Amino acid sequence: MRVLALDAATGVTGYAIYDDKKLVDYGTFSTDDLMDSTSRINEVKHWLLDMINHTKPDAIGIENI
């Protein structure tokens, strides 16, 4: 089972990818702090869609804030 785990934010979003509880990739995605919030959210949305299409997760976990 592949899981995409997210520590979501509009400035810097952390991610980790697990295959059957084994960490296989991790990193961050950053947006430009000078952008307005709507533009940052739009960038994160496009990045997340690309991540989903690229990694093909079975489940996505998002930090509850």
Side-chain angles (χ1 to χ4, degrees):
M1 177 177 197
R2 175 164 280 195
V3 176
L4 172 59
L6 300 171
D7 178 4
T10 62
V12 178
T13 295
Y15 71 91
I17 300 170
Y18 296 90
D19 283 341
D20 296 321
K21 299 183 182 181
K22 179 182 176 191
L23 178 66
V24 294
D25 193 19
Y26 64 93
T28 60
F29 173 77
S30 300
T31 59
D32 186 345
D33 288 337
L34 300 176
M35 298 171 73
D36 64 87
S37 60
T38 302
S39 296
R40 287 195 319 264
I41 291 167
N42 192 48
E43 267 199 40
V44 171
K45 176 186 79 171
H46 287 287
W47 169 80
L48 181 55
L49 289 172
D50 287 343
M51 284 294 288
I52 292 168
N53 288 328
H54 176 73
T55 63
K56 306 282 193 241
D58 298 303
I60 299 172
I62 302 174
E63 175 190 27
N64 182 11
I65 53 173

